[in-house]
Amino acid sequence: MSNRIILVVGDKFASYAIGKDAMTVSQLKGLLALPDQMLSMHESTTLLPGQGMGDHCIEEVLTIAEQSPNFSCFDFSLWRHLPKRASQSITHKHKPENTLISHPRQINENTFELQLLIDENCELMSDHQSGQHVQGMILIEAVRQATVAITETHFIQNKKIKYAFVLNDMSVKYNNFSFPVNASIVCRITNKDIDNPKRLSFTIEADVVQCNTCVSSLFFNISAIDKLRIGRQEEMQAKKTQKRYLAHAYSDLASTIDSQLAS
């Protein structure tokens, strides 16, 4: 029996699947639903899970496959050993489909690796998916989540303090298109200030790597600040902004009325 390798991607990456050894998850479900002996038994197909499928989707496909008369035509072994999606507690995302990364793995003191795990039902893909590539904003959000997850898992010592994360500076360089295949995120902490437990600061450089190629390079400077402290600062600035806005809005409105009366 010969062996063929096929990539499976989420339905919103249908453009990528055209003309390649790839199919969408809906196409796979259709094949699994075919009557017995409709598929050739002379070829075994290894299925590689690509981007776009969330945890629930993968579980659903495996359940359908196990009940399918065509189960023996496919090798799903790689689907059972996928990286675990990072938890809500370390990404600060309320819905699991909006978490785009795996749990961080520490390589050395200041270097960490995570896997990109795109669920096509995430907030950044809810409107549209353009072309075959992964949208650049998804990579930015994935690395932002990575910085939060790394801080939560490896640098927060005082668990009694609840932190809010503030993005101070960011830059991104896109070297190549990113596509819906496996990708890793390598984060290097180039500077950190963790002496004050109420304010932790980090400078992080990250590479998104696909097929041994860096498709995107990102720079983040973030702070993890005591939530009570930043809440007071936010309230104070909000009140000042409100006063300034009302003063300017009233002045602008009065000027507009005077101009209309004069004309």
Side-chain angles (χ1 to χ4, degrees):
M1 181 181 292
S2 59
N3 186 63
R4 188 180 182 188
I5 300 175
I6 296 288
L7 177 76
V8 182
V9 296
D11 289 346
K12 289 184 180 178
F13 289 111
S15 295
Y16 178 83
I18 297 173
K20 306 175 185 68
D21 286 335
M23 69 175 77
T24 66
V25 66
S26 288
Q27 289 170 335
L28 173 59
K29 289 178 181 178
L31 291 176
L32 292 170
L34 289 174
D36 193 13
Q37 298 181 345
M38 288 288 289
L39 296 180
S40 171
M41 295 299 295
H42 301 292
E43 185 176 64
S44 175
T45 301
T46 297
L47 298 176
L48 297 179
Q51 301 289 350
M53 296 180 292
D55 299 342
H56 176 74
C57 177
I58 290 172
E59 291 175 6
E60 181 185 31
V61 169
L62 290 175
T63 299
I64 293 173
E66 290 170 356
Q67 300 171 355
S68 169
N70 301 303
F71 178 68
S72 60
C73 297
F74 302 100
D75 178 1
F76 283 93
S77 57
L78 295 175
W79 293 55
R80 304 180 189 280
H81 305 284
L82 295 174
K84 185 178 180 181
R85 196 176 299 273
S87 65
Q88 172 190 338
S89 63
I90 67 170
T91 60
H92 298 194
K93 304 302 292 185
H94 295 294
K95 297 180 179 180
E97 62 266 28
N98 291 331
T99 295
L100 301 170
I101 56 171
S102 68
H103 194 88
R105 179 177 70 89
Q106 188 168 19
I107 298 175
N108 57 45
E109 181 182 359
N110 293 309
T111 305
F112 301 84
E113 183 180 40
L114 310 90
Q115 298 302 309
L116 182 65
L117 302 175
I118 301 173
D119 184 333
E120 67 181 5
N121 294 312
C122 70
E123 55 194 342
L124 293 175
M125 292 184 67
S126 62
D127 189 13
H128 74 288
Q129 167 62 27
S130 175
Q132 302 185 43
H133 67 281
V134 174
Q135 297 176 47
M137 288 302 298
I138 291 179
L139 303 184
I140 293 175
E141 171 61 12
V143 174
R144 189 200 66 79
Q145 290 181 19
T147 65
V148 175
I150 291 168
T151 304
E152 284 281 5
T153 54
H154 291 87
F155 294 102
I156 291 181
Q157 303 299 325
N158 190 338
K159 300 300 182 181
K160 294 181 180 179
I161 299 177
K162 292 186 178 298
Y163 289 92
F165 285 78
V166 177
L167 176 59
N168 303 310
D169 193 11
M170 182 199 79
S171 64
V172 57
K173 179 181 179 182
Y174 296 111
N175 306 312
N176 287 290
F177 283 121
S178 175
F179 294 105
V181 300
N182 182 59
S184 60
I185 302 170
V186 180
C187 295
R188 298 173 298 278
I189 299 176
T190 58
N191 187 52
K192 61 179 181 282
D193 183 356
I194 56 177
D195 293 334
N196 181 359
K198 292 189 176 182
R199 184 184 179 95
L200 314 175
S201 297
F202 302 89
T203 300
I204 297 175
E205 295 178 355
D207 292 332
V208 180
V209 180
Q210 276 191 332
C211 304
N212 297 320
T213 298
C214 176
V215 296
S216 186
S217 303
L218 300 97
F219 166 91
F220 276 75
N221 180 268
I222 67 164
S223 297
I225 305 174
D226 183 343
K227 210 166 190 176
L228 292 175
R229 177 182 176 186
I230 199 171
R232 289 192 294 267
Q233 293 177 349
E234 184 181 32
E235 177 65 16
M236 182 174 61
Q237 290 187 28
K239 288 180 177 179
K240 288 182 178 179
T241 299
Q242 176 70 1
K243 289 180 179 179
R244 289 197 303 267
Y245 172 73
L246 291 181
H248 285 292
Y250 178 80
S251 176
D252 291 344
L253 179 60
S255 297
T256 300
I257 293 174
D258 288 344
S259 297
Q260 291 175 345
L261 292 175
S263 61

